[in-house]
Amino acid sequence: MLPKVNQILHIQLNTIDDEESRIEYKSRIADVTDTSIVVEIPLNEKTGKLKKLYVGDELSTFFLSQGGVKHYFTTSVTGFKEDVIRLVELRKPELEAITQVQRRSFLRVLAELEIAVKISDQIQFIGVTDDVGGGGISFICDGHIPLGLNANISCWVLVPYKNGSIEHIPFTGEIVRIKKLESGKQLAMIRFIEIADRERQKLIRFCFERQMDFRKR
């Protein structure tokens, strides 16, 4: 079954940021069209704060049927509408994609992008990303580089877009996992600690473009 107008949609953001991914927001469904579910700006009831969303954000959601059964589906932000209040347009799921089993999917895309990493004034190097997402990235670098678990690093990543433009996106991250590879290199998984909203939006835009390319193949 599909959600209906005036039902409450429970929303969680799909992100590598564990703290953010556990936050549940609630939003009232304002409209359902052939292609979209239109909702009000999601609210964190614990803090009373509204959640700012961006085009391309991937969401795990559920709504309750009259019998109290939870119906889960994943969706993404496709746009915004200005009515009496600002509304968010979500991709309408196929009926068979709605399940009573929760399935989390993260907005992460495979991408080999150049990344500059600074661990300290003495240790700086260039690596290549393995995947990128709105909440973090992973990159591959030489195995002899002394990476420390839970260490904070300063980075910028070179992001190309389909229109030919290129952005240098800076951020500060925390190394949450390190994996030694058979090649002798190492894979580091990074959670964003500090990244400007506009810079995160640039990454999400890249992920959205890459996701569209994969779907067309």
Side-chain angles (χ1 to χ4, degrees), residues 91-138:
R91 184 185 74 246
K92 186 177 180 180
E94 298 293 333
L95 189 59
E96 58 269 21
I98 299 176
T99 174
Q100 292 180 24
V101 179
Q102 185 175 18
R103 296 172 181 170
R104 298 296 302 273
S105 64
F106 294 86
L107 175 62
R108 296 182 72 84
V109 296
L110 296 174
E112 295 182 355
L113 307 177
E114 183 176 298
I115 181 172
V117 181
K118 179 180 179 181
I119 298 176
S120 66
D121 290 339
Q122 291 74 37
I123 305 176
Q124 303 178 44
F125 59 91
I126 301 294
V128 177
T129 63
D130 183 61
D131 63 17
V132 301
I137 65 169
S138 63

Side-chain angles (χ1 to χ4, degrees), residues 127-161:
V128 177
T129 63
D130 183 61
D131 63 17
V132 301
I137 65 169
S138 63
F139 66 80
I140 296 172
C141 65
D142 290 337
H144 65 80
I145 296 173
L147 299 178
L149 196 61
N150 302 320
N152 290 353
I153 57 176
S154 298
C155 310
W156 59 255
V157 62
L158 196 66
V159 178
Y161 297 102

Side-chain angles (χ1 to χ4, degrees), residues 16 137-139 147-151 174-180 186-191:
I16 195 174
I137 65 169
S138 63
F139 66 80
L147 299 178
L149 196 61
N150 302 320
E174 177 189 6
I175 300 175
V176 296
R177 187 180 173 195
I178 302 169
K179 180 181 179 181
K180 297 293 184 181
Q186 55 188 334
L187 174 70
M189 302 175 193
I190 310 301
R191 175 178 67 86

